[in-house]
Amino acid sequence: MTWIERTAYPQFKRLTSARVLHVFFTPSPEEVVCAEQRTGSPESCFALVLALKCFQKMARFPSPDEIPDVVIDHVRRCLELAEDIWPDHGSSPSAKAHRKLVRQRQGVKYDAGRARAIAAVAIRKAAQAKNNPADLINVAIEELLRLRLELLGYTTLEDLATSIRAEVNAAIFATILRRMGEAGRTRMESLLVVGPDGKSTFNRLKKPAQRATWSRFREQVKWLDQVDALGDTDAWLDGIAPSKIADFAGEADAQDANTLSRYDPVKQVALLACLTHTARMRARDDLAEMLCKRMASHVKRAKAELEEIRARQRATSERLIGTYRQVLERLDPGSETSAAGVEAVARAMEAVTSCAGNAGQVQALGEMLSALVVQTHSVQAVRAAVEQAGGFAAQLADIEEVAAFHGEAHELLVYRFFKKDRPALFELAGKLRLPGRGTAYR
């Protein structure tokens, strides 16, 4: 039996706050006037207003013993009635007429047959993916409220959810059994057979795998091969909602071999198939976790080595900066040597242009050559600075080395760490369902 507290079925809480009383159970002046016009006594008016406010809050008419005294007292005070006045619809036809007035005012229809049929359709559809009766009841409630229908009684909804869920699950179990065939059924039933060691494969399926570590890689691969040999659960459970599979597997996991052996044979085999499917997924998840942890370890080591390389390269970087500073000083147009050389070359060129005759031009060319020698002095100084730092080849090699590990370049170092794991990684890639290698596991 489903606890009503686990569902969205509207009901009064054990404690009703003053805010709830004010917001939901305080009648408006227009509602009070309307009720007085349609009733002939304070008791009848009281009953009509109380029924209206309860229906507005709950979309149903609660029984008199459901309504808390604090709600009755609050409505009584709002109507300014004496303490000895109690709600009373009067005759049965009057009570029926009052309920009809409330439904008309709220725009809600009362049709138990239609509401039951709609709730059944909603529950059957939801039962394809949901297995908790409370969830199925909530789906029915939501659909009835959407269609502006008065809610059915809770026991009615509960009976519908229980019976329809059983029908849907029975159909799913039969489908699984048909897909696996006799060979698959035999393998599933053999899971409950206790071996010489007093244990069954069923118990091994229930136990979570040991902590995923690289040292247990071979053991995990062997276990994956064993559960894969039990059958193609992907084909058996194709089209069945993952949530249903998880619930069925959870039910099997909660039982022991002795208890599960007393289940209906069809349900027993179907539950074992779902448990096997989750075990296959868990085995692959453990392998994937091993891969992620191993690669994370390699990346961590690569980053640590990158930091060591950067620490060693700080001296190289400082030398390069010093050499570059000397080059800039010798090429700086604002330096005295560079400025004098440029000025001398300019004067010599003017002299060559202005001189007439070969003798004058030869003399001017001599002066220009002297000026060019001064100008090239800066270039020679630059070259000397580079040669002093190790030469052009060495400087370029240092620059390439520093540039190679600039930024987040640890990926370049990862390969050397996982190189020894290549055989295991290739085997692992063959066991996992990677994108482009087939349908992913649910």
Side-chain angles (χ1 to χ4, degrees), residues 99-121:
R99 289 194 293 270
K100 184 177 180 180
L101 286 172
V102 171
R103 296 186 188 108
Q104 290 177 348
R105 182 178 182 87
Q106 295 304 121
V108 174
K109 295 181 180 179
Y110 172 70
D111 190 336
R114 180 179 173 222
R116 185 182 179 88
I118 290 173
V121 171

Side-chain angles (χ1 to χ4, degrees), residues 339-353 368 371-372 375:
V342 172
E343 184 178 354
V345 172
R347 287 198 304 269
M349 291 181 66
E350 291 178 0
V352 172
T353 304
M368 186 178 71
L372 288 174
Q375 177 65 13

Side-chain angles (χ1 to χ4, degrees), residues 116-136:
R116 185 182 179 88
I118 290 173
V121 171
I123 291 174
R124 189 174 301 277
K125 182 179 179 180
Q128 301 298 328
K130 300 178 184 293
N131 202 51
N132 190 337
D135 294 335
L136 301 179

